[in-house]
Amino acid sequence: MSQCLQPTCLHRNPENTKFCQKCGAKLLLLERYCAVRILGQGGFGRTFLAIDEGKPSRPPCVIKQLLPQAQGTSSAKKAAELFAQEAEQLEKLGKHPQIPELFAYFTQDEQQYLVQEYIAGQTLDKELEKQGQFNEQQITKLLADMFKVLRFIHSKNVIHRDIKPENIIRRRTDKTLVLVDFGAAKVDVDPTLSVTGTMIGSIGYTAPEQARGKPMFASDLYSLGLTCIHLLTNVNPTELFDDYEGEWIWRNYLGDNRVSEAMTKILNKMIERVIRKRYQSVEEIIISTQHKSIPRQSQVQQKPASSNISQPTSLPAKPASANISQPTPQTQPKLASNLISSQSASQIHQQLSSRAKSKLTSQIRQNIEVKKIQFKIVNISVSNKFFGGVKVNYPTSKGTAKSFMVNLPKGVTLDLVIIPKGRFLMGSPEDEEKREEIESPQHLVNLPSFSMGQYPVTQSQWQVIMGNNPSGFKGGTNQPVEQVSCWDAVRFCEKLSQVTGQKFRLPSEAEWEYACRAKTTTPFHFGNTITSNLANYKAEYGYGAAPTGKYQKPMTGVGLFAPNAFGLYDMHGNILEWCADNWHDSYEGAPKNGNAWLEGGDENSAPLRGGAWSHTPDKCRCASRERLERDKLIFGRSGFRVVCAVP
């Protein structure tokens, strides 16, 4: 088949066809490259599998077509610059067995193209999805392969700037790893100088200095380190840094996957957020682990010894108390270079403490019983009466969800429901009544399963964990805790985690909106409008076709209104709920995997979602957002609910 390259056509034609049978466009590029099918599509263009008709063997190749969605904008201009830059970098780097070779770069029919070598194989993110967590031996081989290619590109004064699992392909023929997508690569003729520029890279893998527009060779090592950690944990790097403690907690997500102290030390130094504490080059990594001359690459590929020290599965362990006797040192595991300094006594103490905390966590989790719950879902239907006015109906249906309970001190409990994985359009459509631009653009988000508090955190739950009650309206233990700042909510999550042995946190905006919508696309999870029978808000104001109602100020207890299809209560009105993200004025560049958006934006402010008892109905919509500084609070209105992993 011959694939038409015209953006508005894309018709697939019979083989050996010279012109598209549908639009008449010429199918061969430079009279030799014939597209076969689409391989992928992003915001800046399409990638096609193609055939080089100019060679007798007709080998496969890849055609990249620049096609930015925002033609004529600064984004389109930047995309064109990066597209040309990728061709320049590939040409500059020449031929290397772990970099795709550039065949051609040209413009035809007012479209920009580059043609490069086709790497038959699978990207590491697909490999992770298929096989699950990588082990230490696989990571050692990965580092060996990537050290070769990074040495080469850095010797050419090129910084890749976008190393991540999606940009590393395991070549099918020899299993060697190939680094692709040099569209973000940067030439740094003097790597000792830092000049502020545009932030380019992928959220979660980008070094802090690169995010500020000052990439260095060490920035690639940072990204490579986080790539390894993602593969070891199967958790996105944005989830692996504890903002409250200011430290990486990736070892807590290893589960049964053992990683030696030797490998841990190397990866931790690769992902140091302070540049001077991080490895500056591949050579430095090898020298520091070997304490002598730089090893041959074959040395770096040796199989690592397994660790005899179990990994923590709970929160970061605090150092063991001073009265714990020092254990007898064991034979230390070695990395591929076979030369790593031995563990210190404090590290061993910390491991023992982590092991004890892990044991506590497993005991608590064994007592958790996941059960199926049933409930009634209420929707809303509004129709015109024959003699004027409107008629409001509340059709019901049966709902089911998986739920579990966590025991807190003094007999208080915390109920959570398991939110199934799925995808949804985040934000509001342009025709939604009283929408705001900060809810744009709508974008597709894919989320894994997670657990979420069935209700907002109550005053009784706060009291037993924090020992006080900051609420402005102390109307009962079953009322939501309110008048708390975002940092107050984070501290509650941290202390709750310590008490229960489970990792609790605030939801991301994407998680919150996905959970609120519960597979619906309407302004509210129960339909296109809202009434005071369904939520607590400023019901003297109407929304859509529904009539006004009774204003139930100031606040009601949790669970008084019907839940949504996920079994969550009070997602509209009553209390505003904090999310973990930095505040951003739009969703341009937002994560598409459901993670909290912690890069860029205003890090001192965070979003509040859901509306409150004193808000008009439009502020209670699924997509509505409110901005507030993290250290501020709102009397009687600012609260939150918690999320954690699926047990």
Side-chain angles (χ1 to χ4, degrees):
M1 301 292 286
S2 298
Q3 172 83 59
C4 179
L5 295 168
Q6 287 300 309
T8 57
C9 180
L10 298 177
H11 179 67
R12 299 195 70 192
N13 300 273
E15 192 173 359
N16 297 322
T17 306
K18 301 298 182 183
F19 296 91
C20 179
Q21 295 177 340
K22 184 176 180 181
C23 71
K26 192 174 183 179
L27 296 178
L28 284 181
L29 298 178
L30 297 183
E31 304 298 332
R32 66 182 293 180
Y33 300 112
C34 177
V36 176
R37 60 180 173 85
I38 296 175
L39 287 176
Q41 180 169 333
F44 292 141
R46 294 191 179 98
T47 305
F48 300 85
L49 176 64
I51 297 295
D52 184 354
E53 302 280 4
K55 293 183 179 181
S57 62
R58 301 178 73 241
C61 56
V62 171
I63 295 173
K64 285 191 172 185
Q65 177 191 52
L66 177 64
L67 190 69
Q69 295 176 355
Q71 293 284 355
T73 67
S74 59
S75 295
K77 182 179 179 181
K78 188 63 181 179
E81 291 175 1
L82 293 175
F83 195 77
Q85 185 171 285
E86 179 170 14
E88 292 171 8
Q89 300 303 349
L90 289 174
E91 183 179 29
K92 173 184 174 68
L93 293 172
K95 293 185 178 182
H96 186 279
Q98 292 172 262
I99 299 174
E101 182 182 355
L102 177 69
F103 294 149
Y105 171 62
F106 56 94
T107 299
Q108 181 170 312
D109 298 329
E110 299 183 350
Q111 294 286 338
Q112 282 182 265
Y113 297 95
L114 67 80
V115 183
Q116 65 183 41
E117 178 186 3
Y118 172 65
I119 307 298
Q122 194 171 53
T123 58
L124 293 190
D125 65 313
K126 296 297 183 184
E127 205 169 286
L128 178 66
E129 183 180 321
K130 183 178 180 180
Q131 74 169 38
Q133 292 169 268
F134 281 44
N135 59 36
E136 182 171 342
Q137 184 178 353
Q138 291 172 301
I139 294 300
T140 302
K141 179 61 169 66
L142 182 154
L143 287 173
D145 278 354
M146 296 310 296
F147 283 169
K148 294 177 189 176
V149 69
L150 284 185
R151 265 179 163 177
F152 175 76
I153 69 171
H154 290 174
S155 72
K156 301 288 187 180
N157 286 332
V158 172
I159 305 169
H160 187 276
R161 294 201 293 181
D162 200 17
I163 296 174
K164 57 183 178 180
E166 296 95 312
N167 285 341
I168 302 174
I169 297 176
R170 190 180 304 281
R171 188 161 47 211
R172 189 174 298 128
T173 54
D174 60 2
K175 308 303 180 186
T176 298
L177 296 179
V178 178
L179 184 61
V180 301
D181 200 349
F182 281 75
K186 172 184 174 66
V187 174
D188 194 342
V189 293
D190 185 352
T192 64
L193 299 177
S194 294
V195 180
T196 301
T198 304
M199 185 280 184
I200 294 174
S202 297
I203 293 172
Y205 304 92
T206 303
E209 70 279 0
Q210 182 175 319
R212 296 190 297 270
K214 300 179 179 180
M216 303 174 67
F217 295 147
S219 306
D220 279 349
L221 300 179
Y222 181 95
S223 301
L224 177 58
L226 285 178
T227 293
C228 294
I229 287 168
H230 186 179
L231 297 172
L232 284 167
T233 61
N234 202 2
V235 177
N236 191 283
T238 56
E239 295 289 320
L240 300 177
F241 188 79
D242 189 326
D243 291 295
Y244 186 66
E245 295 290 344
E247 62 183 22
W248 291 102
I249 54 174
W250 62 273
R251 285 176 65 109
N252 300 321
Y253 291 84
L254 289 170
D256 296 329
N257 196 11
R258 293 188 173 186
V259 177
S260 68
E261 286 302 309
M263 177 65 80
T264 298
K265 286 182 66 176
I266 287 179
L267 293 179
N268 280 342
K269 191 164 183 179
M270 290 177 73
I271 62 173
E272 277 282 0
R273 295 172 72 84
V274 179
I275 306 174
R276 63 179 176 80
K277 296 181 179 180
R278 194 186 315 151
Y279 291 118
Q280 301 299 301
S281 66
V282 171
E283 284 78 7
E284 185 183 344
I285 297 177
I286 299 172
I287 291 172
S288 67
T289 57
Q290 193 180 30
H291 301 299
K292 56 182 182 180
S293 61
I294 299 172
R296 299 184 302 275
Q297 286 298 335
S298 59
Q299 287 179 290
V300 183
Q301 297 180 40
Q302 293 175 15
K303 181 178 179 180
S306 61
S307 170
N308 294 322
I309 300 175
S310 62
Q311 304 300 322
T313 57
S314 59
L315 287 172
K318 296 188 180 298
S321 59
N323 61 353
I324 296 180
S325 59
Q326 182 171 328
T328 303
Q330 301 292 320
T331 302
Q332 300 304 319
K334 299 177 182 179
L335 184 66
S337 64
N338 292 320
L339 288 163
I340 280 287
S341 58
S342 61
Q343 278 182 298
S344 66
S346 62
Q347 288 174 319
I348 296 174
H349 282 180
Q350 188 165 354
Q351 286 293 328
L352 291 173
S353 178
S354 298
R355 193 184 305 178
K357 180 70 77 66
S358 298
K359 184 176 180 181
L360 171 64
T361 302
S362 64
Q363 288 174 345
I364 292 174
R365 286 181 174 168
Q366 286 172 8
N367 294 328
I368 289 178
E369 178 186 357
V370 177
K371 59 183 180 180
K372 186 176 181 179
I373 58 173
Q374 296 183 333
F375 45 87
K376 184 183 292 185
I377 303 170
V378 178
N379 295 308
I380 187 170
S381 173
V382 180
S383 59
N384 292 323
K385 289 184 178 179
F386 185 74
F387 293 106
V390 296
K391 181 180 180 181
V392 182
N393 295 312
Y394 299 96
T396 63
S397 58
K398 291 182 180 180
T400 61
K402 291 181 179 179
S403 171
F404 62 97
M405 179 188 296
V406 175
N407 293 315
L408 307 183
K410 299 182 180 180
V412 178
T413 59
L414 174 66
D415 294 307
L416 298 105
V417 294
I418 297 175
I419 309 300
K421 68 178 181 180
R423 59 169 56 185
F424 82 114
L425 272 177
M426 185 174 180
S428 59
E430 293 185 359
D431 60 351
E432 186 167 299
E433 183 179 344
K434 296 190 177 180
R435 71 182 296 273
E436 298 181 84
E437 282 303 309
I438 57 174
E439 302 162 18
S440 297
Q442 272 196 304
H443 57 289
L444 189 66
V445 181
N446 289 280
L447 296 98
S449 180
F450 60 96
S451 302
M452 189 175 213
Q454 196 166 16
Y455 314 97
V457 171
T458 65
Q459 295 180 23
S460 61
Q461 291 164 345
W462 180 280
Q463 181 76 48
V464 297
I465 296 298
M466 305 300 287
N468 57 41
N469 186 355
S471 302
F473 296 106
K474 296 180 175 65
T477 58
N478 204 39
Q479 281 193 251
V481 67
E482 32 84 6
Q483 201 169 247
V484 296
S485 70
C486 184
W487 292 131
D488 292 332
V490 169
R491 282 188 282 271
F492 175 89
C493 292
E494 292 293 330
K495 195 163 184 181
L496 176 64
S497 300
Q498 294 170 9
V499 169
T500 63
Q502 292 177 268
K503 176 65 177 177
F504 286 93
R505 57 177 175 81
L506 292 178
S508 68
E509 271 204 278
E511 287 173 330
W512 193 96
E513 187 172 326
Y514 173 69
C516 178
R517 291 186 178 278
K519 304 292 187 179
T520 65
T521 58
T522 49
F524 308 91
H525 64 68
F526 32 71
N528 287 312
T529 189
I530 185 173
T531 70
S532 57
N533 290 336
L534 299 173
N536 183 17
Y537 63 99
K538 211 167 186 177
E540 59 196 44
Y541 293 87
Y543 183 92
T548 58
K550 183 180 178 181
Y551 182 17
Q552 303 181 56
K553 60 182 179 181
M555 193 163 47
T556 58
V558 301
L560 293 185
F561 301 96
N564 68 9
F566 285 164
L568 296 169
Y569 291 79
D570 306 308
M571 298 299 288
H572 297 301
N574 210 33
I575 192 76
L576 282 163
E577 299 182 18
W578 284 106
C579 292
D581 309 60
N582 291 352
W583 175 264
H584 294 79
D585 290 330
S586 79
Y587 292 134
E588 288 287 351
K592 297 180 180 180
N593 57 5
N595 290 336
W597 193 4
L598 297 173
E599 298 289 339
D602 181 3
E603 63 182 14
N604 295 317
S605 300
L608 289 148
R609 304 297 296 257
W613 57 272
S614 59
H615 282 157
T616 53
D618 57 294
K619 298 296 184 183
C620 301
R621 293 173 298 113
C622 296
S624 182
R625 314 169 66 213
E626 185 165 327
R627 175 182 189 169
L628 187 65
E629 293 177 26
R630 293 184 190 271
D631 59 353
K632 304 295 184 184
L633 48 85
I634 307 176
F635 177 83
R637 286 185 288 168
S638 55
F640 65 103
R641 72 179 73 208
V642 297
V643 299
C644 68
V646 176

